[in-house]
């Protein structure tokens, strides 16, 4: 009877553990869904705002959007490496049987991983930014017919305004790289709730910045256009959203994987 009771108890414990794992997995899925929803909301809002200008601005917007997404895949490879290797090292560090000295070693390895990944991310994003800076016309010609060339070029390079959408795209590259890297680090530490909160705060910044520009444009159209076109304002807001993502995500990851006092 003692053996049967022990078996039943262990089976009940296993069932409870499976249920807890399932609910945790479900909750993390909801958090990730909300995060993705906030990200897609920013892209949708950006497209709707630019579409209200004219078709030429929308075409220019689609070129920047395509380049924005395509270049993200280059850095996403580094972010995926951080997620995979960071998860492995983090799991080993958090093993209950590990001694403090071994945990400290794993913590240092994780932080070195973040450092190496940051160097690679900066190198890749800087290369992309330089390519955009020195070959803007060649890059844009990949998307345009000759008939549409001049009008779209004018919108992309912000003629008549002090800040061009193309300059924003170039400046955003290293910021985007750290945003994607931060996403990988947050996934490695399974900080899905933090990732959701950061994305929502980023969306709030995006909304405030773009809303402020649209309000200024309504009441002071000529002065506003002198500094920023609507297209440049949209992508400036997106860049500031990624500033929130990169700074908050990297800060949390460094604190999460900070060496313990006992180490």
């Amino acid at each position: 009877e003692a053996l049967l009771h022990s078996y039943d108890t262990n089976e009940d414990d296993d069932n409870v553990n499976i249920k807890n794992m399932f609910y945790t997995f479900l909750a993390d899925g909801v958090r990730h869904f909300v995060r993705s929803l906030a990200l897609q909301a920013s892209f949708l809002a950006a497209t709707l705002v630019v579409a209200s200008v004219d078709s030429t601005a929308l075409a220019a917007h689609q070129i920047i959007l395509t380049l924005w997404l395509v270049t993200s895949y280059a850095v996403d490879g580094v972010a995926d490496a951080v997620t995979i290797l960071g998860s492995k090292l983090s799991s080993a560090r958090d093993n209950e049987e590990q001694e403090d000295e071994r945990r400290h070693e794993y913590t240092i390895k994780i932080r070195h991983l973040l450092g190496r990944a940051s160097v690679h991310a900066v190198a890749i994003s800087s290369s992309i930014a330089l390519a955009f800076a020195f070959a803007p016309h060649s890059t844009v010609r990949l998307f345009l017919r000759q008939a549409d060339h001049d009008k779209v070029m004018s919108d992309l390079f912000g003629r008549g305004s002090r800040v061009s959408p193309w300059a924003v795209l170039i400046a955003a590259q290293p910021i985007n790289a750290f945003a994607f890297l931060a996403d990988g680090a947050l996934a490695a530490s399974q900080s899905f709730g933090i990732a959701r909160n950061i994305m929502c705060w980023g969306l709030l910044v995006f909304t405030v910045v773009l809303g402020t520009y649209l309000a200024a444009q309504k009441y002071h159209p000529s002065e506003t256009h002198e500094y920023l076109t609507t297209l440049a304002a949209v992508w400036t807001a997106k860049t500031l959203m990624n500033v929130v993502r990169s700074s908050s995500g990297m800060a949390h990851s460094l604190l999460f994987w900070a060496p313990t006092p006992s180490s």
Side-chain angles (χ1 to χ4, degrees):
E1 289 183 6
L3 288 174
L4 289 174
H5 177 71
S6 176
Y7 175 79
D8 291 340
T9 302
N10 291 335
E11 188 176 12
D12 290 340
D13 289 342
D14 289 340
N15 289 334
V16 170
N17 289 334
I18 291 172
K19 285 183 179 179
N20 289 338
M21 289 174 62
F22 173 75
Y23 289 132
T24 300
F25 177 79
L26 188 63
D28 287 340
V30 172
R31 295 183 187 107
H32 191 71
F33 174 76
V34 173
R35 175 198 170 278
S36 299
L37 199 63
L39 177 61
Q40 294 305 317
S42 68
F43 282 115
L44 178 60
T47 302
L48 289 174
V49 169
V50 176
S52 66
V53 179
D54 56 40
S55 58
T56 304
L58 184 59
H61 171 73
Q62 286 301 122
I63 290 173
I64 293 181
L65 175 59
T66 301
L67 292 172
W68 185 283
L69 295 176
V70 167
T71 54
S72 73
Y73 295 133
V75 183
D76 267 346
V78 180
D80 288 340
V82 170
T83 300
I84 296 167
L85 297 176
S87 297
K88 182 179 179 180
L89 292 171
S90 185
S91 177
R93 186 196 74 157
D94 296 338
N95 190 328
E96 295 179 358
E97 298 178 0
Q98 291 286 2
E99 297 179 356
D100 288 344
E101 185 176 348
R102 290 291 293 166
R103 290 188 181 186
H104 179 69
E105 289 178 6
Y106 280 116
T107 299
I108 297 303
K109 287 181 179 179
I110 294 171
R111 293 173 73 87
H112 284 170
L113 172 64
L114 277 178
R116 291 195 300 271
S118 298
V119 171
H120 283 90
V122 169
I124 293 170
S125 61
S126 297
S127 300
I128 293 170
L130 288 172
F132 288 165
F134 287 103
H137 294 276
S138 300
T139 305
V140 174
R141 284 193 190 99
L142 297 172
F143 301 90
L144 294 176
R145 298 177 303 174
Q146 189 60 38
D148 304 322
H149 188 272
D150 292 338
K151 293 180 180 178
V152 177
M153 283 285 193
S154 179
D155 278 354
L156 281 173
F157 300 124
R159 289 164 189 162
S161 298
R162 297 189 182 182
V163 179
S164 72
W166 196 258
V168 175
L169 176 66
I170 293 171
Q173 293 308 307
I175 297 170
N176 292 353
F178 277 104
F180 306 142
L181 193 62
D183 288 343
L186 290 170
S189 62
Q190 297 186 3
S191 304
F192 299 108
I194 298 294
R196 174 206 58 201
N197 294 343
I198 289 174
M199 188 65 76
C200 289
W201 278 110
L203 179 61
L204 178 62
V205 169
F206 169 84
T207 304
V208 170
V209 171
L210 188 55
T212 302
Y213 171 83
L214 293 175
Q217 187 186 49
K218 181 178 180 180
Y219 296 104
H220 305 283
S222 58
E223 294 89 338
T224 304
H225 190 273
E226 181 183 349
Y227 289 92
L228 281 174
T229 62
T230 300
L231 185 61
V234 161
W235 288 104
T236 298
K238 278 293 297 178
T239 301
L240 292 175
M241 179 179 180
N242 279 0
V243 168
V244 174
R245 291 172 59 191
S246 57
S247 58
S248 302
M250 293 301 291
H252 175 268
S253 298
L254 291 173
L255 289 172
F256 184 86
W257 286 317
T260 57
S262 58
S263 301

